[in-house]
Amino acid sequence: MIDPVAKFPSELDQLPDRDTEETAEWAASLDAVAKAAGPHRAAYLMRRTLQHAEGAGLALPKLLETDYVNTIPSSAEPVIDGDEEMERRITAWNRWNAAAMVTRGSKYGVGGHIATFASAAWLYETGFNHFFRGKEGDGSGDQLYIQGHASPGIYARAFLDGRLTEAHLDKFRQESAGDGLPSYPHPRRLPWLWEFPTVSMGLGPLSAIYQARFNRYLTNRNIKDVSNSHVWAFLGDGEMDEPESTAALALAAREGLDNLTFVINCNLQRLDGPVRANFKIVQELEAQFRGAGWNVVKSLWGGAWDELFQLDTTGALVRRLREVPDAQVQTYQTRDAAYIREDFFGKDPALVEMAKLLSDDKILECFHLSRGGHEPRKVYAAYKAALSHKGAPTVILAQTVKGFTLGEGFASKNANHQMKKLTNDEFNNMRDLLELPISDAQFVDGVVPYGHPGADSPEVRYLQERRAALGGPAPARRSHALAPLPAPADKSFTAFDKGSGSQSMATTMAFVRLMKDLIRDKTTGKRWVPIVPDEARTFGMESLFPSLGIYSPKGQTYEPVDRDQLMYYREATDGQILNEGITEAGSMADFIAAASAYATHGEPMIPFYIFYSMFGWQRTADQMWQLGDQLGRGFLVGATAGRTTLTGEGLQHADGHSPVIAATNPAALSYDPAFAYEVAVIVKDGLRRMYGEAAPGEDRDVFYYLTVYNEPMPQPAKPAGIDEGIIKGLYRFNTAESAGVTVPGNAPRIQLLGSGTAIHWTLEAQKLLAEEWGVAADVWSATSWTELRRDALEADAALLRGEERTPFIRTALEGVDSPVLAVSDYMRQVPDQIAQWVEQDYSSLGADGFGLSDTREAARRHFGVDAQSIVVAALAQLAKRGEVPVTAVKEARERYGL
């Protein structure tokens, strides 16, 4: 006899078998069962054996997939602590008003989504009535990430409990007048209701994981005990295709985030059709989450299926459910009993016999109506199981029907995501199905009415009482009356005022040195949240490791290899640094959680996230938009910035465009500082504006983006009276005369505007122009082309209102009668942002095109932004005005080898 184990070489073959005879007996027993009772019985026994072993604490790999049935059997479902009939009526009103709101708005062509909430209504209602903690109780309450397309249902519930009126509902997706409702969860548009923007799919699940993780961070660092807060993320099964949706599953399991629950609405449909037409998305997700270490609870079938499972004495029903692809399940939803008898039950003799015991009505009830996500008892049991599970996050896979209760025209139809309205006949059918007391007479002029049982009705009282017991309304965002944080000692910011003398210092190092000083502040130092994606040593931050510690919920369970060194790698449960590994998306999710902690938890935190500038906006701009929507505050720092400063790194590392992308985000204040003292001034002003005493009318809900460079340069002393110019975006650093270069009194003059590291090439060009061409150049530091442009745009808007206002760029250059040449280490589009408001002759130089590997000098010559190229461009500009001979331009090109 061939050893059955030996037929299948595996990792087990590498382990010693101390009793080969016993192993062979087990294998033979399995063969005998398969032969006598069939392979399905053998597989069943194996699964039960593995389940038993797991329950007994044996160290075995977990099963990644279970049968296509509910995790919690009906016999184990807990009793709902509430009035099920009352909750059914409340849910019916919410379903009606959600559909009515979108339908009424459709006459204006503003769109809306009906089918998603129709499938998920009980997933939300069960949570609102029994689980979701509000913010008026102890702690911070729960954090709810609402599925974006379900927003009409959340508005409908807020209407029922009195937080919204009919007038609000009639302004769904009509916000320009200032009192409308945003299409999706947008905190910036409706800041008293929404906490988290979620409709850019994939960002919700990623952010939810890091929010749960940040809650633990706050607790472990003794900032605030938020251990009672639970994070609930409501997601779509189609949304799980987004890479971000599953990017951090392992992190959540690794850190044991049992304060986190994903609720995935498995209606088996995405925007155009089935999520997995030929497969089963629930099984795929179960395997994915189990493999990552999550607790998985499946709520697939409603109570009507209990009878069918009791009749399934052979396992044929479970086998059939496992093999039917999702698209076919969707088809059953739209077909009659005869079709289901033939196509579903007719594939197996045992099922044919079972079907004979079932009426057509029973078959239709099961296949059309009865899903685990549509029955409060099933949902309640799943939520209860999630909260009671310890040591790992939980995902609930709830099967639903997209468009449920909306009628045959909606339910499970491929196009239902794009269907924006119901007819009056469909509303009448929906009314009868939901048993709502709405009469035909209420349809005035054919307009579907909103429904409300009355402010003092049993339904509303019940709803409000349940929310009061759970800590107040939800969802809700709190605007805490927080006292301004005290400003750090001025010496931290003035440390760079004298310059570095002959010593060279990169602005990256200047920023890190400033952070070290600010984190030492006894009052606000603990509120800084340093975030880095595994590049701390690149940015010179390793000295923070032993003093601040790297956050880890397990602390340090090993002796670090560099323990005998001064700057050793120290992890700690109360560590302050979030070193996320190689994940810019995860780091941004960290930043968002920290940046909005002032609202989520009433604790202002000051995050700074430092990263390779090329891998910031280019890679995670969508999250930065999410950050702006969520009203986050903090400092994003694009280090090793610019297109020509990274010697040898090449195309994919050379950032020549991040300020362009940053300029598209209205909440981002983008700066490209040239000198260490500029970095200090900008950070100081950012702390004042976001966390301290903001000026009247100044928007506090902004974040700062600073580019800093790894190119060591001598840092000059700070000139007097330039702070305003640094913040507004431009100031004159020196003139030809103050720079000490010798030029004739009647020399032609040009203004050189440089930003970031380009200021050093302009200073070199200033010297060349004077010494070799007799041209006087004044050098300006343009700390923010974007802020200059925004100020000018505001001046233009004021002019349309009849107000006279001069853009700062014109005020700064007032009296200058010489041409302007702007130079940047970014594409010319960056400095050209201000071109239309500069009254002088204007031209620019920049690093357009793809980056390349070479020395800094060679890269700058390649892009035409080095000092010699600036000289030639300046001479060309002056030659056009007749202020220098045209021959000088050719002579300069030849002299410099251009």
Side-chain angles (χ1 to χ4, degrees):
M1 175 181 175
I2 298 176
D3 181 354
V5 175
K7 289 191 298 182
F8 304 103
S10 72
E11 75 279 358
L12 292 178
D13 295 330
Q14 303 177 56
L15 304 177
D17 187 347
R18 64 183 185 184
D19 193 336
T20 56
E21 184 176 345
E22 181 184 38
T23 304
E25 289 174 356
W26 274 72
S29 297
L30 189 64
D31 288 343
V33 172
K35 184 176 181 179
H40 298 299
R41 176 63 179 168
Y44 173 80
L45 289 176
M46 286 298 298
R47 293 175 70 85
R48 289 308 295 261
T49 301
L50 288 171
Q51 266 185 347
H52 179 79
E54 184 179 336
L58 299 181
L60 289 173
K62 290 188 177 182
L63 296 172
L64 294 185
E65 194 177 309
T66 60
D67 286 318
Y68 204 68
V69 297
N70 294 346
T71 302
I72 304 169
S74 297
S75 59
E77 292 170 4
V79 176
I80 293 181
D81 178 24
D83 186 332
E84 292 185 57
E85 173 57 25
M86 187 70 73
E87 293 177 21
R88 185 197 67 78
R89 297 205 299 270
I90 291 171
T91 306
W93 286 117
N94 291 339
R95 288 182 182 278
W96 177 273
N97 288 323
M101 176 175 59
V102 176
T103 298
R104 286 168 67 128
S106 67
K107 66 182 178 181
Y108 301 110
V110 295
H113 299 286
I114 302 177
T116 294
F117 177 72
S119 66
W122 276 113
L123 302 180
Y124 292 107
E125 196 59 38
T126 303
F128 285 132
N129 285 325
H130 302 282
F131 295 97
F132 304 157
R133 294 191 181 110
K135 299 182 177 299
E136 295 174 2
D138 295 335
S140 301
D142 289 352
Q143 286 81 56
L144 308 181
Y145 288 77
I146 304 295
Q147 192 179 359
H149 294 130
S151 60
I154 308 304
Y155 291 140
R157 196 173 203 274
F159 168 62
L160 206 64
D161 73 8
R163 292 197 290 165
L164 292 175
T165 65
E166 286 193 17
H168 287 119
L169 300 191
D170 269 343
K171 288 294 187 69
F172 176 59
R173 292 192 168 195
Q174 299 169 68
E175 298 181 79
S176 59
D179 57 350
L181 299 180
S183 52
Y184 304 122
H186 291 305
R188 186 168 286 275
R189 290 296 180 221
L190 202 61
W192 61 268
L193 180 73
W194 299 119
E195 279 197 283
F196 308 109
T198 55
V199 85
S200 186
M201 293 190 183
L203 300 191
L206 179 66
S207 292
I209 290 173
Y210 280 89
Q211 181 65 57
R213 198 283 195 93
F214 191 74
N215 289 357
R216 291 280 174 85
Y217 173 88
L218 287 178
T219 301
N220 288 340
R221 288 196 56 222
N222 297 312
I223 301 292
K224 183 179 182 179
D225 184 357
V226 294
S227 53
N228 286 329
S229 289
H230 198 85
V231 178
W232 300 82
F234 289 85
L235 316 169
D237 48 359
E239 180 178 7
M240 302 310 293
D241 283 346
E242 291 284 3
E244 295 89 348
S245 294
T246 54
L249 298 187
L251 166 73
R254 185 169 64 244
E255 299 204 359
L257 298 181
D258 51 23
N259 60 337
L260 170 68
T261 297
F262 276 14
V263 182
I264 302 182
N265 177 16
C266 298
N267 57 34
L268 314 185
Q269 290 182 247
R270 51 188 178 198
L271 307 189
D272 286 334
V275 179
R276 293 290 183 271
N278 296 298
F279 306 94
K280 302 190 79 63
I281 185 60
V282 168
Q283 300 300 85
E284 179 182 317
L285 291 174
E286 178 183 30
Q288 193 169 17
F289 278 87
R290 281 182 178 272
W294 286 53
N295 175 47
V296 179
V297 177
K298 294 197 289 191
S299 183
L300 308 180
W301 308 110
W305 283 83
D306 290 345
E307 179 183 343
L308 276 66
F309 289 124
Q310 290 170 4
L311 294 172
D312 183 28
T313 57
T314 66
L317 177 62
V318 173
R319 289 196 301 273
R320 181 67 178 136
L321 289 174
R322 191 189 310 144
E323 69 188 21
V324 175
D326 283 351
Q328 192 63 22
V329 173
Q330 184 182 343
T331 297
Y332 293 148
Q333 178 70 32
T334 65
R335 298 302 176 88
D336 59 19
Y339 177 89
I340 298 170
R341 284 183 188 277
E342 178 182 352
D343 192 85
F344 181 84
F345 292 98
K347 304 296 185 182
D348 188 294
L351 293 181
V352 171
E353 293 303 312
M354 179 189 293
K356 292 177 182 178
L357 304 175
L358 304 175
S359 67
D360 285 356
D361 287 345
K362 181 65 176 180
I363 290 175
L364 293 178
E365 180 186 13
C366 289
F367 283 84
H368 286 192
L369 302 175
S370 189
R371 299 289 187 275
H374 294 323
E375 297 192 8
R377 290 197 176 198
K378 306 295 183 185
V379 177
Y380 184 90
Y383 287 6
K384 199 85 169 173
L387 290 181
S388 62
H389 186 82
K390 300 304 177 186
T394 294
V395 59
I396 296 169
L397 303 174
Q399 186 164 262
T400 66
V401 174
K402 194 167 185 177
F404 188 65
T405 74
L406 298 180
E408 295 181 359
F410 267 83
S412 285
K413 295 298 177 66
N414 281 336
N416 62 18
H417 188 78
Q418 280 72 36
M419 296 163 72
K420 312 301 182 187
K421 60 183 178 180
L422 276 68
T423 67
N424 282 359
D425 285 343
E426 288 171 326
F427 269 112
N428 287 332
N429 292 334
M430 182 181 179
R431 171 197 63 192
D432 296 341
L433 175 65
L434 298 176
E435 299 177 350
L436 289 171
I438 297 174
S439 67
D440 292 344
Q442 291 177 260
F443 285 76
V444 179
D445 296 327
V447 177
V448 58
Y450 294 120
H452 200 292
D456 196 39
S457 64
E459 292 90 340
V460 173
R461 288 202 306 271
Y462 179 88
L463 180 156
Q464 293 175 340
E465 287 167 3
R466 300 301 300 186
R467 288 311 315 157
L470 286 165
R477 182 180 182 275
R478 295 283 289 275
S479 295
H480 299 270
L482 299 174
L485 292 181
D490 220 35
K491 63 180 181 180
S492 298
F493 303 106
T494 58
F496 304 104
D497 286 3
K498 293 182 180 179
S500 63
S502 59
Q503 181 183 0
S504 292
M505 176 191 294
T507 51
T508 298
M509 294 300 101
F511 177 81
V512 172
R513 177 179 157 186
L514 175 62
M515 289 303 104
K516 290 178 182 178
D517 288 344
L518 294 176
I519 290 171
R520 292 193 191 104
D521 185 87
K522 293 181 179 180
T523 304
T524 60
K526 66 178 182 179
R527 297 192 175 276
W528 285 91
V529 183
I531 302 169
V532 61
D534 202 36
E535 288 277 10
R537 298 182 193 278
T538 301
F539 308 138
M541 293 175 60
E542 66 269 31
S543 63
L544 298 178
F545 289 169
S547 58
L548 301 183
I550 300 163
Y551 172 73
S552 169
K554 290 185 177 295
Q556 194 152 39
T557 61
Y558 60 92
E559 182 178 355
V561 67
D562 55 358
R563 182 62 184 87
D564 58 343
Q565 298 178 16
L566 181 63
M567 294 184 288
Y568 73 99
Y569 194 84
R570 184 175 76 88
E571 296 187 81
T573 55
D574 61 349
Q576 194 164 351
I577 301 170
L578 291 173
N579 192 326
E580 290 306 340
I582 305 174
T583 167
E584 285 82 9
S587 300
M588 269 306 303
D590 255 340
F591 187 90
I592 292 169
S596 52
Y598 74 93
T600 308
H601 295 297
E603 292 290 343
M605 304 300 289
I606 314 171
F608 75 87
Y609 165 35
I610 187 167
F611 50 89
Y612 257 83
S613 66
M614 184 64 163
F615 307 136
W617 288 89
Q618 172 164 301
R619 184 166 289 187
T620 60
D622 195 12
Q623 287 178 283
M624 291 159 179
W625 197 267
Q626 177 191 10
L627 168 66
D629 192 353
Q630 200 165 314
L631 309 168
R633 305 169 184 172
F635 297 93
L636 296 174
V637 184
T640 57
R643 182 145 278 164
T644 70
T645 62
L646 284 172
T647 55
E649 289 285 9
L651 186 150
Q652 287 189 321
H653 283 64
D655 171 23
H657 54 281
S658 67
V660 177
I661 309 174
T664 66
N665 191 312
L669 277 62
S670 177
Y671 286 92
D672 187 23
F675 304 124
Y677 65 77
E678 292 178 356
V679 172
V681 170
I682 293 165
V683 171
K684 180 180 180 181
D685 190 69
L687 289 172
R688 175 200 62 78
R689 178 168 177 173
M690 294 184 292
Y691 301 96
E693 297 284 358
E698 200 171 30
D699 186 3
R700 296 167 62 89
D701 298 323
V702 296
F703 60 93
Y704 283 64
Y705 174 56
L706 281 73
T707 52
V708 293
Y709 299 84
N710 71 330
E711 185 173 14
M713 300 294 288
Q715 296 296 323
K718 179 183 177 183
I722 61 170
D723 284 23
E724 180 187 26
I726 292 174
I727 299 305
K728 290 192 173 182
L730 183 69
Y731 69 94
R732 181 153 41 196
F733 175 71
N734 68 16
T735 63
E737 292 75 14
S738 66
V741 295
T742 303
V743 291
N746 61 346
R749 186 173 291 268
I750 191 168
Q751 308 298 313
L752 301 180
L753 278 56
S755 65
T757 195
I759 199 79
H760 301 288
W761 325 327
T762 62
L763 289 169
E764 186 180 347
Q766 179 188 48
K767 184 177 180 182
L768 290 173
L769 282 166
E771 293 177 351
E772 300 185 12
W773 305 99
V775 172
D778 302 333
V779 173
W780 300 67
S781 179
T783 54
S784 180
W785 309 102
T786 301
E787 287 305 295
L788 290 171
R789 174 180 175 81
R790 287 176 177 170
D791 172 78
L793 289 171
E794 290 174 7
D796 287 354
L799 187 62
L800 290 175
R801 298 191 299 267
E803 304 170 15
E804 289 293 333
R805 181 177 159 190
T806 303
F808 180 78
I809 180 65
R810 287 183 180 165
T811 300
L813 295 174
E814 187 176 4
V816 171
D817 59 1
S818 52
V820 173
L821 174 60
V823 187
S824 166
D825 200 26
Y826 296 92
M827 56 196 303
R828 289 176 61 181
Q829 186 176 340
V830 177
D832 283 353
Q833 290 181 86
I834 66 170
Q836 73 185 79
W837 292 280
V838 176
E839 296 176 315
Q840 294 80 3
D841 289 342
Y842 184 88
S843 64
S844 63
L845 294 176
D848 286 75
F850 288 111
L852 75 165
S853 297
D854 214 314
T855 64
R856 293 183 178 118
E857 293 76 13
R860 286 163 189 166
R861 174 57 58 91
H862 170 81
F863 286 111
V865 293
D866 60 346
Q868 291 79 11
S869 298
I870 295 172
V871 169
V872 172
L875 292 174
Q877 202 169 352
L878 291 169
K880 286 182 181 180
R881 296 163 57 94
E883 297 182 26
V884 300
V886 173
T887 55
V889 181
K890 180 181 178 183
E891 182 184 347
R893 280 201 302 266
E894 292 174 350
R895 180 183 302 183
Y896 300 135
L898 296 178

